[in-house]
Amino acid sequence: QVRVMESGGGSVQSGGSLILSCDVSGHTYSHLFVGWFRQAPGKEREGVAAIDDNGSTNYADSAKGRFTISQDNAKNTVYLRMNSLQPEDTAMYYCAADPAHFLGDQFLDDTLYGFWGQGTQVTVSS
């Protein structure tokens, strides 16, 4: 059973930075695609960034230039570094994983991911 666990959320002021971590364990898949999503109160969940085990990355327009996704394969951990945070970035951030190979903008589709963490809250104050 794949286990996904996020950490690193918190409260920061506008312009600040946070690094989220996603630990993925308990699987025997030779390949995993890992994505970060977020959901603000009253809004739909949206994709933020994703990475495959070859290190190829994808970003939503809202994340380009400010967020960086990376991974440490030895630790089975995926990171999301978020810079220049704004109040509109306030949301619950979720990590998701799936053994599928996603193409193009498929990484933004949360219905394609089979394994999810519980989320970590990010709050940005102005």
Side-chain angles (χ1 to χ4, degrees), residues 5-94:
M5 182 175 294
E6 307 94 337
S7 62
S11 297
V12 296
Q13 291 190 326
S14 180
S17 299
L18 280 174
I19 299 176
L20 306 183
S21 298
C22 173
D23 294 320
V24 184
S25 63
H27 70 89
T28 58
Y29 295 112
S30 60
H31 160 85
L32 272 184
F33 201 97
V34 178
W36 282 99
F37 290 79
R38 66 184 183 185
Q39 187 168 23
K43 294 187 177 181
E44 293 186 355
R45 188 160 57 190
E46 63 175 357
V48 176
I51 189 168
D52 69 19
D53 52 3
N54 291 322
S56 297
T57 58
N58 293 278
Y59 295 94
D61 289 343
S62 61
K64 289 178 181 177
R66 297 189 303 131
F67 295 1
T68 302
I69 189 170
S70 62
Q71 63 188 0
D72 184 333
N73 289 331
K75 296 182 179 180
N76 296 319
T77 301
V78 172
Y79 303 98
L80 183 68
R81 180 174 181 84
M82 305 184 294
N83 295 328
S84 302
L85 285 164
Q86 301 301 315
E88 51 266 35
D89 295 313
T90 295
M92 184 71 78
Y93 282 72
Y94 297 91

Side-chain angles (χ1 to χ4, degrees), residues 32-37 45 47-51 58 69 95-100 102 105-116:
L32 272 184
F33 201 97
V34 178
W36 282 99
F37 290 79
R45 188 160 57 190
V48 176
I51 189 168
N58 293 278
I69 189 170
C95 182
D98 199 272
F102 297 150
D105 289 341
Q106 286 182 324
F107 76 98
L108 295 171
D109 187 346
D110 60 355
T111 66
L112 298 180
Y113 291 79
F115 305 101
W116 288 83

